[in-house]
Amino acid sequence: MVTISIRPYTLRKAGLVGLILFCLSCLSAFAQSTYVTVKSTPYDRQMTRIRPVLISAVEHKDQNLSIGLVNNWIGNLRAIPYGFSMDWKTPDEVHLGAYADCKGKAVALYNAMHSRGAQNVRLVIGKRLWTSRRTHAWLEWTTANGTYILDPTINWAAFRAERGSRSSYIPLYAYAGGQKYRAATSAGVLASNGLFGGQRVASRL
């Protein structure tokens, strides 16, 4: 007769399993982020320079704005050498300058799309990866065919949000026109990275 001894998990192992399950549940939530309208965000003061771009009136509506044209804009901005700037650059400063960072490239793409009448475009501030220590800026564009992630700093083309990793492109805040938003999952992400408090959050972008 063979006897099998089952050793119970130690408290440390049980805690590790619990932590893993918690992280997996967080990653699942990241992929289903929704936005809540807010009166302010920690980035409002920084956004002063580019606020006119965000709230500018649409010059004309282009119902046939193609993903191919948008990818062309993304490629042109991606080709601009990366260089960090403390201030949010305007689209003119991005195109005329020698370099630009994620903030400037995202704003320049937002301006190009908005000027052609693109609807449902959001300028997003968040985490490129859930393990990232610094924040990142990109666009989200919701169309009849789904929501696209537009990141002219890292990628050469747009991609469908649902095809991305659950642990990447995690939104914290967003701007669209005169509206400001907070991602519903942002509280957990900020807490896990010790980024509660507007001063520290805003200084990381």
Side-chain angles (χ1 to χ4, degrees), residues 141-155:
W141 181 29
T142 300
T143 72
N145 297 320
T147 298
Y148 291 88
I149 299 293
L150 316 176
D151 184 357
T153 303
I154 296 177
N155 303 318

Side-chain angles (χ1 to χ4, degrees), residues 14-132:
L16 180 60
V17 171
L19 179 61
I20 292 172
L21 292 174
F22 173 75
C23 291
L24 290 175
S25 67
C26 287
L27 294 183
S28 178
F30 293 157
Q32 303 171 6
S33 295
T34 56
Y35 292 97
V36 178
T37 303
V38 294
K39 292 183 178 179
S40 63
T41 84
Y43 297 91
D44 288 350
R45 183 174 297 180
Q46 294 186 31
M47 304 292 281
T48 301
R49 297 187 79 246
I50 56 98
R51 193 174 305 280
V53 177
L54 297 176
I55 65 175
S56 62
V58 176
E59 296 180 6
H60 66 278
K61 293 185 177 180
D62 188 344
Q63 301 296 332
N64 298 314
L65 183 60
S66 68
I67 193 68
L69 178 58
V70 172
N71 284 339
N72 184 59
W73 291 334
I74 292 175
N76 290 338
L77 289 166
R78 176 65 177 79
I80 297 174
Y82 179 88
F84 177 76
S85 173
M86 287 295 294
D87 296 323
W88 287 73
K89 290 187 174 183
T90 66
D92 286 342
E93 289 172 334
V94 170
H95 291 297
L96 296 176
Y99 63 88
D101 60 11
C102 64
K103 305 188 297 292
K105 293 185 180 189
V107 171
L109 182 58
Y110 181 99
N111 183 64
M113 296 183 67
H114 197 240
S115 67
R116 291 293 293 267
Q119 304 295 313
N120 302 315
V121 179
R122 291 180 294 272
L123 173 64
V124 181
I125 299 169
K127 307 297 286 293
R128 171 66 181 82
L129 299 171
W130 75 279
T131 54
S132 299

